[in-house]
């Protein structure tokens, strides 16, 4: 993409209400524009990152055996009344009526709807297990929406729902999603700590939330250092799911807003980690909380009807955009992990109109594009300082700086955004270097 043809409305000044890094940089980098309280327009740069995160989440759900579908944003209130959640959910739910005076709501989650759908089609244990998911916009009417996309009212969420014949099978589905979440966050360049959590309005007695460590996190995290440094589990065989889950949850990890938990002292001093964390995922096993009141049953092998055992698994896709920035930025702007960067590299033309410089930039642009790097070519007629600041702000992993002085010696400068390291090399060597860096992570 050529910057001269791209819609990238940068802000020079930070809006007064943007108090955390992700909100500041998303506004300044032209990723989003607030339309009303807690509701944002996703501009091209932000939308591109959002779709990359969504695709990684999708791939890991598919790899875990979940099947994608799509449910509507507007739900019938009848499903929620049947489970008893319509009145219990509280003022965060946006309740509406259509012209026929039918009660509807803008879905904050989908347990009730999908349970109704599932009971309409599944009658036998032979059709289980199943795990269905969708990636859909949700709405929760936060009392005080703030921090940009980190606590907005409208947000993009992946929510999956598992259906099993008994508790043991349902817990296997829970363990499988647990592994999928660790793999997902690792691919996003994040270290996510799984914490035993309250089940809240979703219900059930088994739940974990996943927090990424960031100074601006809303939760205080106390955990064993080894838990943060564990590598992603990758593919885990079905017969090893429970053991791997227990290994991953055996080390100490919890949140506490008021004080240091007393049992944190049991962790060896050199292994204690106290930090701030941002919740980016939450998973639940809640048995028949929804299937029992909705009479979602199947006939078992013994011919008797039993309630379906269920779990639900949420990832805040749009929240992750902000979470990644909170975990990866400096004073100059965003530092994107390569897996979700809106463009693979930025090309900076320091002398637009210079025949040699223009030709070198065009050549680099064409070759990086052919290699699948998806470069952003800054071909605008601005001062060099503006171009450097712009590239640092939007956080592309690599910058190739092309100017007449360097080209006289046959070199360009390559800057690695994450480390600030600068290297001089030939244009072809720069292309080879960046291509190799991406291939090493493929």
């Amino acid at each position: 993409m050529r910057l001269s043809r791209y819609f990238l409305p940068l802000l020079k000044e930070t809006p007064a209400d943007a108090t955390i890094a992700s909100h500041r940089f998303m506004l300044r980098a032209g990723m989003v524009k607030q339309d009303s309280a807690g509701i944002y327009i996703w501009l091209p740069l932000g939308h591109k990152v959002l779709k990359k995160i969504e695709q990684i989440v999708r791939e890991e759900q598919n790899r875990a055996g979940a099947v994608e579908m799509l449910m509507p944003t507007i739900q019938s209130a009848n499903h929620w009344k049947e489970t008893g959640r319509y009145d219990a959910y509280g003022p965060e739910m946006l309740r509406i009526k259509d012209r026929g005076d039918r009660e509807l709501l803008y879905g904050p989650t989908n347990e009730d709807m999908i349970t109704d759908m599932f009971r309409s089609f599944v009658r036998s244990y032979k059709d289980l297990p199943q795990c269905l998911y969708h990636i859909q916009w949700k709405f929760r009417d936060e009392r005080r929406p703030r921090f940009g996309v980190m606590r907005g009212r409208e947000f993009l969420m992946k929510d999956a729902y598992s259906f099993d014949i008994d508790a043991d099978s349902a817990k296997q589905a829970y363990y499988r999603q647990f592994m999928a979440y660790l793999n997902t966050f690792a691919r996003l360049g994040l270290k996510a700590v799984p914490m035993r959590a309250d089940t809240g309005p979703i219900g059930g007695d088994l739940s974990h939330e996943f927090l990424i460590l960031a100074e601006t996190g809303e939760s205080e995290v106390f955990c064993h250092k080894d838990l943060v440094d564990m590598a992603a589990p990758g593919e885990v065989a079905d017969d090893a799911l429970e053991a791997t889950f227990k290994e991953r949850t055996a080390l100490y990890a919890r949140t506490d807003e008021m004080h240091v938990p007393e049992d944190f002292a049991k962790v060896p001093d050199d292994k204690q980690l106290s930090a701030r964390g941002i919740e980016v995922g939450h998973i639940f096993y809640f048995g028949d909380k929804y299937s029992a009141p909705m009479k979602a049953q199947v006939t078992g092998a013994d011919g008797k009807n039993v309630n379906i055992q269920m779990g639900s698994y949420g990832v805040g896709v749009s929240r992750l955009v902000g979470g990644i920035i909170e975990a990866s930025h400096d004073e100059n702007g965003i530092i994107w992990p390569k897996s979700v960067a809106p463009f693979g590299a930025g090309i900076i033309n320091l002398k637009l109109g210079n025949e040699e410089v223009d030709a070198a930039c065009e050549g680099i642009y064409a070759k990086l594009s052919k290699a699948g790097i998806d470069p952003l070519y800054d071909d605008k007629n601005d001062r060099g300082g503006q171009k450097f600041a712009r590239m640092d702000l939007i956080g592309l992993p690599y910058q190739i700086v092309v100017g007449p002085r360097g080209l006289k010696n046959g070199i360009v400068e390559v800057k690695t955004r994450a480390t600030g390291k600068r290297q001089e090399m030939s244009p072809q060597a720069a292309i080879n270097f960046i291509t190799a860096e991406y291939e090493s992570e493929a």
Side-chain angles (χ1 to χ4, degrees):
M1 175 58 66
R2 298 173 188 275
L3 188 57
S4 60
R5 300 177 186 173
Y6 196 63
F7 187 71
L8 187 64
L10 304 186
L11 298 180
K12 292 182 179 180
E13 303 296 330
T14 300
D17 62 340
T19 59
I20 64 172
S22 60
H23 194 190
R24 293 197 305 270
F25 289 136
M26 288 183 75
L27 291 172
R28 288 192 53 216
M31 295 180 67
V32 294
K33 179 188 182 298
Q34 182 171 311
D35 189 62
S36 60
I39 298 176
Y40 289 85
I41 299 168
W42 288 79
L43 302 174
L45 195 76
H47 184 253
K48 200 165 186 183
V49 174
L50 185 69
K51 300 305 286 186
K52 286 196 170 188
I53 294 173
E54 177 184 329
Q55 184 57 26
I56 289 173
V57 171
R58 175 178 290 110
E59 289 171 3
E60 291 302 321
Q61 285 297 295
N62 293 346
R63 190 162 68 144
V67 180
E68 188 170 10
M69 59 180 298
L70 185 62
M71 288 177 276
T73 57
I74 303 298
Q75 303 183 26
S76 168
N78 292 337
H79 306 321
W80 289 69
K81 289 181 177 180
E82 195 172 352
T83 61
R85 286 213 298 172
Y86 186 69
D87 294 322
Y89 200 87
E92 285 188 349
M93 181 190 291
L94 181 62
R95 296 162 170 83
I96 55 180
K97 289 186 178 181
D98 65 12
R99 66 176 65 191
D101 209 33
R102 289 176 287 263
E103 291 181 302
L104 304 169
L105 57 99
Y106 194 137
T109 184
N110 284 77
E111 285 83 4
D112 317 75
M113 174 182 278
I114 202 167
T115 304
D116 172 70
M117 182 280 294
F118 204 78
R119 70 179 174 180
S120 301
F121 299 109
V122 179
R123 298 284 188 270
S124 170
Y125 74 97
K126 295 179 182 178
D127 297 319
L128 300 177
Q130 291 285 345
C131 186
L132 302 171
Y133 79 97
H134 73 157
I135 300 174
Q136 180 61 289
W137 291 94
K138 302 284 194 290
F139 186 90
R140 295 176 188 169
D141 196 3
E142 291 274 357
R143 182 187 300 272
R144 291 178 57 235
R146 59 194 188 280
F147 305 147
V149 302
M150 297 296 293
R151 187 164 291 179
R153 294 195 295 167
E154 185 185 54
F155 54 95
L156 187 63
M157 180 176 172
K158 185 284 300 181
D159 40 321
Y161 304 89
S162 60
F163 304 85
D164 289 273
I165 187 65
D166 55 36
D168 288 342
S169 299
K171 288 181 179 178
Q172 284 290 104
Y174 185 94
Y175 303 150
R176 190 174 294 108
Q177 282 288 328
F178 184 93
M179 305 306 162
Y181 274 44
L182 292 176
N183 290 330
T184 297
F185 298 129
R187 286 187 61 187
L188 294 173
L190 298 170
K191 291 186 176 181
V193 180
M195 302 273 185
R196 186 68 182 259
D198 292 331
T199 57
I202 302 296
D205 57 5
L206 178 59
S207 176
H208 284 84
E209 60 183 16
F210 294 79
L211 291 94
I212 57 176
L213 303 184
E215 292 180 359
T216 51
E218 71 269 32
S219 301
E220 186 75 17
V221 177
F222 301 92
C223 68
H224 196 292
K225 284 184 179 179
D226 291 353
L227 190 61
V228 179
D229 295 330
M230 281 187 176
E235 296 281 358
V236 180
D238 287 350
D239 59 2
L241 281 171
E242 184 173 6
T244 307
F245 170 78
K246 289 181 176 178
E247 175 191 10
R248 296 276 171 162
T249 55
L251 295 178
Y252 185 92
R254 66 172 289 185
T255 60
D256 197 310
E257 290 303 313
M258 302 304 295
H259 57 273
V260 177
E262 292 181 9
D263 46 355
F264 188 53
K266 298 176 183 177
V267 179
D269 291 347
D270 62 337
K271 292 293 185 179
Q272 290 182 358
L273 176 63
S274 174
R276 305 294 298 180
I278 298 168
E279 181 191 337
V280 289
H282 206 156
I283 63 177
F284 306 83
Y285 163 61
F286 42 69
D288 64 358
K289 174 180 170 64
Y290 300 93
S291 61
M294 299 186 81
K295 297 181 173 58
Q297 297 184 327
V298 295
T299 302
D302 59 1
K304 296 180 180 179
N305 288 341
V306 295
N307 296 328
I308 297 171
Q309 297 289 302
M310 294 176 58
S312 71
Y313 316 91
V315 167
V317 177
S318 54
R319 184 178 174 88
L320 271 166
V321 179
I324 291 171
I325 295 172
E326 291 296 329
S328 185
H329 68 272
D330 61 18
E331 67 276 8
N332 297 316
I334 304 164
I335 304 174
W336 290 116
K338 290 194 282 292
S339 58
V340 298
F343 296 95
I347 304 167
I348 298 175
N349 185 329
L350 288 180
K351 194 70 173 178
L352 195 67
N354 179 289
E355 185 175 341
E356 186 179 8
V357 175
D358 289 350
C361 288
E362 291 290 347
I364 294 169
Y365 179 66
K367 290 178 180 179
L368 285 178
S369 298
K370 186 176 180 179
I373 301 301
D374 189 19
L376 178 66
Y377 174 23
D378 189 342
D379 59 345
K380 298 189 75 172
N381 193 19
D382 295 328
R383 291 180 289 106
Q386 289 177 277
K387 297 191 174 200
F388 296 142
R390 181 159 54 218
M391 281 295 179
D392 280 350
L393 175 61
I394 65 176
L396 306 187
Y398 300 99
Q399 301 170 18
I400 302 178
V401 183
V402 186
R405 184 178 302 175
L407 285 179
K408 286 182 180 178
N409 299 314
I411 60 172
V412 297
E413 182 181 84
V414 177
K415 176 182 175 181
T416 301
R417 179 70 179 90
T419 62
K421 182 179 179 180
R422 300 173 185 271
Q423 305 175 72
E424 291 185 341
M425 58 187 79
S426 71
Q428 186 58 53
I431 294 164
N432 296 342
F433 169 74
I434 292 173
T435 304
E437 288 290 296
Y438 277 94
E439 288 176 349
S440 69
E441 292 196 2

